[in-house]
């Protein structure tokens, strides 16, 4: 007999079924969603890693510029600088300073000197904002700025501009000082401080400077010349049939070119003992036979004289 209680029980059971069924479906749906989302995500992963992560802002390719190398500067002793005159600001000096600033500084310090140049974005500490006069490392006084430009604050990312002339550094400072009012006055004490530190009134020596590219070419050129000399000298030794020195050299060396290379790059020509020592220490690495087969004292003398002679003639 089915009573009311049973009915209620049945209803509860049905509800449980419905609820369980609902939850069952719910899990299935959740799992389906995970699978679908996961699948489409996996599909996109490759494109994602390849394309989407490349930032849209691409910084300028500075390597493409051809005119950014150092200029040739002939080493000179510069004329004495009359600081008292140089530090007086004129529109001409400020404009020269601005040109220098645009050529050398805007990358980090920004076109308006606010420390927001593209190249400076990654620097910590950031480049100095010249429109704010607090929190400087060396300071905004003339003597401090001169020191910064002369010596740099290299540990903090500010390079030295000691390749510029003193007048150019001063023009840069005059330009920066023109950006906002409030820079400390350039008084006699400031001028004396700079002169005492760098003796500008006496003139000073500016070292030679050549473009890096030219230095590279020079080194390559010199290396080429060196190697052609080594080839020549080796050929002379190899082709010499009569000279006793050459014959002994070939008895000593299993690889004449290597031996000549070693002899070209190291010092051994001070005297015969130095030569014998040079050949006998690690001989194989220098192209000489490990045994140095039975060379007599007299033969050492002959081969030494022969080799020194070659070195003096061809390899300086
Ligand atoms: C490679 C980036 C870079 C370039 C280029 C650069 N600077 Fe700086 N400069 C810095 C950084 C970074 C600082 C901050 C250093 C610090 O806070 O100590 C700085 C600081 C300075 C300061 C303030 C120093 C102080 O006392 O706090 C002066 C002045 C200065 N730079 C002048 C120049 C001038 C003039 C040029 C161009 C001739 C120039 N800088 C080019 C990165 C640069």
């Amino acid at each position: 007999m089915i009573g009311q209680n049973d009915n209620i029980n049945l209803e509860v059971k049905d509800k449980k079924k419905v609820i369980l069924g609902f939850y069952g479906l719910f899990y299935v749906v959740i799992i389906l969603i995970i699978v679908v989302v996961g699948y489409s995500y996996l599909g996109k992963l490759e494109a994602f890693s390849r394309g989407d992560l490349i930032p849209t802002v691409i910084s300028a390719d500075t390597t493409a510029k051809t005119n950014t190398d150092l200029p040739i500067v002939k080493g000179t002793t510069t004329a004495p600088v009359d600081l008292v005159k140089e530090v007086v600001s004129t529109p001409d000096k400020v404009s020269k300073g601005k040109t220098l600033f645009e050529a050398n500084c805007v990358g980090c310090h920004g076109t308006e000197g606010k420390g927001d140049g593209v190249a400076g974005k990654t620097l910590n500490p950031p480049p100095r904002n010249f429109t704010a006069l607090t929190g400087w490392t060396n300071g905004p006084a003339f003597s401090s700025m001169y020191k910064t430009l002369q010596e740099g604050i290299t540990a903090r990312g500010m390079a030295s501009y000691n390749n510029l002339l003193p007048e150019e550094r001063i023009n840069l400072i005059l330009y920066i000082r023109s950006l906002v009012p409030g820079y400390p006055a350039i008084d006699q004490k400031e001028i004396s401080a700079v002169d005492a530190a760098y003796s500008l009134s006496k003139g000073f020596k500016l070292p030679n400077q050549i473009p890096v590219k030219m230095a590279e070419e020079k080194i390559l050129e010199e290396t080429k010349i060196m190697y052609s000399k080594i080839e020549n000298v080796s050929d002379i030794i190899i082709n010499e049939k009569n000279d006793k020195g050459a014959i002994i050299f070939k008895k000593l060396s299993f690889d004449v070119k290597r031996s000549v290379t070693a002899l070209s790059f190291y010092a051994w020509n001070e005297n015969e003992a130095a030569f014998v020592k040079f050949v006998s220490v690690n001989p194989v690495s220098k192209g000489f036979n490990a045994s140095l087969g039975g060379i007599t004292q007299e033969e050492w003398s002959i081969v030494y004289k022969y080799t020194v002679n070659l070195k003096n003639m061809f390899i300086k």
Side-chain angles (χ1 to χ4, degrees):
M1 199 184 135
I2 297 170
Q4 237 199 325
N5 276 352
D6 292 329
N7 263 344
I8 290 168
N9 269 347
L10 262 182
E11 264 178 40
V12 171
K13 265 189 191 162
D14 278 353
K15 266 192 186 157
K16 270 189 183 162
K17 260 191 204 161
V18 170
I19 288 170
L20 274 179
F22 176 75
Y23 274 122
L25 207 67
F26 187 68
Y27 285 130
V28 169
V29 169
I30 296 259
I31 287 167
L32 258 176
I33 289 174
I34 289 174
V35 168
V36 169
V37 170
Y39 205 76
S40 69
Y41 176 74
L42 276 180
K44 280 198 188 126
L45 250 191
E46 204 195 357
F48 191 62
S49 58
R50 260 203 263 122
D52 300 359
L53 292 181
I54 296 173
T56 44
V57 181
I58 297 168
S59 36
D61 179 6
T62 50
T63 58
K65 289 186 191 151
T66 50
N67 59 346
T68 49
D69 209 337
L70 304 174
I72 296 182
V73 179
K74 178 108 184 61
T76 47
T77 305
T78 61
V81 179
D82 183 355
L83 273 175
V84 176
K85 221 176 85 199
E86 290 299 335
V87 299
V88 177
S89 181
T90 65
D92 179 51
K93 287 182 199 166
V94 170
S95 140
K96 281 182 181 150
K98 183 171 194 240
T99 307
L100 281 167
F101 191 82
E102 278 161 1
N104 297 291
C105 324
V106 291
C108 291
H109 289 283
T111 44
E112 290 163 34
K114 291 189 173 153
D116 54 359
V118 271
K121 289 247 154 65
T122 54
L123 294 177
N124 185 22
R128 161 77 11 219
N129 171 2
F130 296 125
T131 63
L133 295 179
T134 52
W136 292 45
T137 300
N138 286 339
F142 172 72
S143 58
S144 312
M145 286 173 80
Y146 194 91
K147 178 183 162 76
T148 300
L149 289 181
Q150 173 76 43
E151 298 170 14
I153 310 176
T154 44
R156 293 169 62 86
M158 170 60 199
S160 149
Y161 285 86
N162 62 4
N163 59 317
L164 299 177
L165 291 170
E167 292 89 339
E168 292 175 315
R169 275 191 288 273
I170 293 170
N171 290 344
L172 272 165
I173 295 171
L174 294 178
Y175 168 67
I176 292 171
R177 291 170 60 91
S178 76
L179 295 173
V180 285
Y183 274 89
I186 308 178
D187 55 18
Q188 189 54 48
K189 223 175 99 200
E190 282 292 305
I191 292 172
S192 305
V194 171
D195 200 28
Y198 306 108
S199 44
L200 295 185
S201 55
K202 293 199 188 83
F204 75 109
K205 215 173 141 14
L206 198 69
N208 274 323
Q209 172 188 286
I210 62 168
V212 176
K213 185 103 189 71
M214 190 191 261
E216 265 172 17
E217 279 159 9
K218 251 186 130 91
I219 290 167
L220 264 181
E221 187 59 27
E222 275 163 18
T223 312
K224 259 194 225 152
I225 293 171
M226 189 75 181
Y227 277 99
S228 87
K229 279 182 182 170
I230 288 169
E231 297 244 343
N232 288 343
V233 172
S234 305
D235 285 348
I236 290 171
I237 299 172
I238 291 166
N239 296 328
E240 178 59 59
K241 299 281 183 290
N242 303 316
D243 193 301
K244 252 186 155 181
I247 293 164
I248 303 167
F249 195 102
K250 283 180 272 192
K251 210 162 119 188
L252 276 173
S253 171
F254 65 88
D255 182 343
V256 171
K257 207 171 138 191
R258 187 194 283 198
S259 300
V260 173
T261 307
L263 291 163
S264 324
F265 283 100
Y266 299 94
W268 49 267
N269 46 339
E270 192 183 319
N271 53 42
E272 191 180 318
F275 174 70
V276 174
K277 190 173 162 210
F278 180 78
V279 174
S280 350
V281 175
N282 284 324
V284 177
S285 68
K286 299 164 190 163
F288 295 112
N289 291 310
S291 62
L292 300 175
I295 302 277
T296 65
Q297 190 60 51
E298 197 204 341
E299 285 176 322
W300 274 118
S301 286
I302 294 168
V303 74
Y304 166 67
K305 279 184 196 124
Y306 174 77
T307 316
V308 162
N309 216 8
L310 277 180
K311 176 147 179 146
N312 290 342
M313 275 198 299
F314 297 102
I315 302 172
K316 287 267 148 69

